[in-house]
Amino acid sequence: MNTPLNAQVVAAFGRQYLVRLPDGGLLPCLTRGKRSDVVCGDRVEVQHTGENQGVIERIAPRTSLLHRSDAFREKLIAANVTQIIVVVAAEPSFSDELLARCMIAAFDQKLEVLIVLNKCDLAESTASARRQLIPYTAIGYRVLELSAKQDVSALRPLLQGHISVLVGQSGMGKSTLINALLPDAQAATREISTALDSGKHTTTHAKLYNLDEVSSLIDCPGVQAFGLHHLSFGAIEQGFVEFAQYLGQCRFRDCHHLHEPGCALLGAVAAGKIDARRLELFQQITANKA
Ligand SMILES: Nc1nc2c(ncn2[C@@H]2O[C@H](COP(=O)(O)OP(=O)(O)OP(=O)(O)O)[C@@H](O)[C@H]2O)c(=O)[nH]1
Ligand SMILES: [Mg+2]
Ligand SMILES: [Zn+2]
């Protein structure tokens, strides 16, 4: 039996995949040959090769592809998502560079962005995390504060109609959020992995969960670094959404916004229109781009 591009990859473990068939059943699948460019969220055509085994024959064109890369390799994160939810928390502390990088990737793939500040039950430390997010709310990003351990109801309506992917550093509470939204999910969280001593990252592979007919959520392993080697200098400039009105206004056409005279972005920082930390992040992220 062939499924003409309407099966969905719901989990990816190396080169092994779990695929949901149109009738709702799950089928473990491999790829043909050495192919390994299939990713969670892909729509695929599969063929049964045994009673409980299949092979992925084709991947449907993707509406989006989230990936990260350095000079040596590329890591696919999820396909066909419409929204990226960056999960941050006060403890462990989060990296605003990672946050900025996720947003650049989101802009490049035209995804909605939602920042979730989790663990708000940790009231004292959350105050400083909240301060760290002020530049992001100021430029229009949505920030939702919640505690995955207490109440996630405010998140539900924001997931409606989306294929969302949860990204963030390890330990921010992505899988705890999944379990709160889907009590049957039983995603492993830190408590369990500490008991099993399975290392730093609790979630080891991406997994897609269906919330309802039109909404689903992908849980991903924590990321330490979000390499953007695949994006050009210009794509990174655009990923800093508040820079838009200044781009093209610098004295030099090839301005790198470092210390050039007549730089519109440096001017905007001096005038208090752009947050200085955001320009600093831009300079760090583009440091290796020509
Ligand atoms: N106090 C508090 N702790 C939380 C909350 N949400 C998650 N945690 C704890 O944070 C730790 C990490 O949670 P996980 O859900 O495993 O984190 P993760 O982001 O999935 O981590 P990786 O899978 O490694 O990427 C666990 O000990 C959770 O119990 C929360 O709202 N409040
Ligand atoms: Mg996890
Ligand atoms: Zn400039």
Side-chain angles (χ1 to χ4, degrees):
M1 180 199 74
N2 265 21
T3 60
L5 291 173
N6 57 4
Q8 184 178 36
V9 176
V10 296
F13 332 78
R15 289 185 41 227
Q16 300 229 52
Y17 302 90
L18 195 61
V19 173
R20 189 185 309 283
L21 303 174
D23 68 4
L26 294 171
L27 184 68
C29 287
L30 296 169
T31 53
R32 291 250 182 238
K34 288 208 162 69
R35 173 164 208 176
S36 63
D37 59 344
V38 181
V39 65
C40 201
D42 263 327
R43 294 282 172 180
V44 293
E45 177 181 318
V46 301
Q47 189 159 46
H48 281 267
T49 51
E51 188 163 336
N52 193 33
Q53 183 70 58
V55 63
I56 294 173
E57 298 280 11
R58 281 199 303 145
I59 309 176
R62 295 158 170 155
T63 57
S64 71
L65 178 63
L66 201 57
H67 55 129
R68 52 201 180 88
S69 61
D70 58 27
F72 309 102
R73 54 187 213 132
E74 175 168 81
K75 193 128 176 62
L76 304 181
I77 300 172
N80 301 319
V81 302
T82 56
Q83 172 164 260
I84 174 165
I85 301 180
V86 189
V87 184
V88 299
E91 295 173 26
S93 61
F94 73 90
S95 151
D96 61 349
E97 177 168 346
L98 192 83
L99 183 63
R101 286 173 176 273
C102 290
M103 284 164 175
I104 296 163
F107 185 88
D108 176 64
Q109 291 295 304
K110 303 183 175 60
L111 307 177
E112 297 274 337
V113 177
L114 173 66
I115 302 170
V116 167
L117 174 55
N118 187 29
K119 311 198 189 183
C120 285
D121 51 299
L122 308 173
E124 262 175 53
S125 50
T126 295
S128 72
R130 193 178 288 136
R131 273 196 300 279
Q132 226 184 329
L133 291 173
I134 289 173
Y136 293 86
T137 39
I139 56 177
Y141 285 106
R142 296 177 296 166
V143 177
L144 179 67
E145 294 190 14
L146 53 71
S147 164
K149 289 217 164 155
Q150 291 175 347
D151 184 8
V152 296
S153 54
L155 180 56
R156 269 182 216 282
L158 304 180
L159 303 173
Q160 187 61 34
H162 278 293
I163 302 179
S164 306
V165 60
L166 296 176
V167 296
Q169 287 150 264
S170 198
M172 295 291 148
K174 298 178 292 298
S175 300
T176 308
L177 271 171
I178 295 272
N179 288 337
L181 290 161
L182 293 146
D184 294 336
Q186 298 183 316
T189 59
R190 178 60 51 84
E191 288 73 11
I192 297 163
S193 65
T194 316
L196 299 173
D197 195 31
S198 67
K200 201 164 190 278
H201 296 286
T202 303
T203 303
T204 52
H205 60 269
K207 187 163 178 201
L208 182 144
Y209 299 89
N210 287 313
L211 292 160
D212 58 44
E213 297 276 287
V214 292
S215 320
S216 40
L217 198 50
I218 299 178
D219 188 15
C220 287
V223 290
Q224 204 99 50
F226 201 114
L228 297 172
H229 191 77
H230 56 288
L231 295 184
S232 66
F233 184 86
I236 294 172
E237 272 180 333
Q238 287 177 24
F240 281 77
V241 294
E242 75 276 35
F243 292 2
Q245 59 176 300
Y246 303 100
L247 298 180
Q249 310 286 317
C250 301
R251 184 178 308 162
F252 301 111
R253 252 183 137 184
D254 62 347
C255 187
H256 283 81
H257 323 307
L258 291 169
H259 31 62
E260 294 89 339
C263 171
L265 291 179
L266 290 169
V269 169
K273 306 273 191 209
I274 286 179
D275 185 85
R277 173 68 184 152
R278 288 277 293 167
L279 184 60
E280 186 182 21
L281 287 171
F282 171 81
Q283 292 165 344
Q284 276 170 29
I285 295 168
T286 53
N288 297 319
K289 305 265 168 193

